[in-house]
C-alpha cells in the first residue's frame, strides 16, 4: 500500500543519516513524513466519505477523518515498535 511504501522509504532515509544530524532535524523529518501519511490517508478517505455521506460540511468530513486516522493501522503512531 501507499503507507507501507512510504514507511519503507522513511526507514531507509533515517538509516542513511549519520550522527551529525541533530535530534531536532530528525524530529522535523519524522514530522514531515507523519504529515504526508496523514494527508494521503485524508485524500483517500475524503473521496470515499463524499460518496458514502454526501452533503456533509468540510468540517464534518474532517472530524470523521480525524477519528478514523487516530484508529487507523496506517497511522505511524499506531505501528508496533
Amino acid at each position: 500500500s501507499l503507507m507501507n511504501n512510504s514507511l519503507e522509504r522513511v526507514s531507509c532515509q533515517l538509516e542513511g543519516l549519520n550522527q551529525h544530524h541533530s535530534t531536532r532535524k530528525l524530529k522535523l523529518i519524522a514530522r514531515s513524513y507523519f504529515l504526508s501519511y496523514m494527508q494521503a490517508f485524508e485524500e483517500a478517505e475524503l473521496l470515499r466519505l463524499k460518496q458514502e455521506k454526501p452533503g456533509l460540511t468540510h468540517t464534518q468530513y474532517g472530524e470523521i477523518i480525524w477519528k478514523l486516522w487516530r484508529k487507523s493501522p496506517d497511522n505511524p503512531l499506531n505501528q508496533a515498535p
Side-chain angles (χ1 to χ4, degrees):
S1 78
L2 173 65
M3 297 297 171
N4 289 336
N5 292 340
S6 297
L7 282 174
E8 289 175 15
R9 188 177 68 239
V10 171
S11 296
C12 290
Q13 288 179 347
L14 290 178
E15 288 172 8
L17 293 175
N18 60 33
Q19 295 292 332
H20 299 289
H21 286 82
S22 68
T23 303
R24 180 181 163 103
K25 176 90 173 179
L26 292 174
K27 286 180 182 180
L28 289 173
I29 292 168
R31 183 175 186 271
S32 70
Y33 281 107
F34 175 81
L35 292 174
S36 68
Y37 295 142
M38 187 174 173
Q39 183 180 12
F41 179 84
E42 182 179 10
E43 289 171 2
E45 288 299 311
L46 185 59
L47 291 173
R48 185 183 63 81
L49 285 172
K50 283 187 174 184
Q51 291 176 349
E52 289 180 7
K53 300 179 181 196
L56 295 179
T57 66
H58 184 72
T59 302
Q60 290 171 319
Y61 286 125
E63 289 171 356
I64 293 169
I65 291 169
W66 176 248
K67 288 177 185 177
L68 293 171
W69 173 247
R70 290 189 347 206
K71 298 176 186 177
S72 173
D74 292 334
N75 181 343
L77 298 178
N78 294 337
Q79 302 292 321

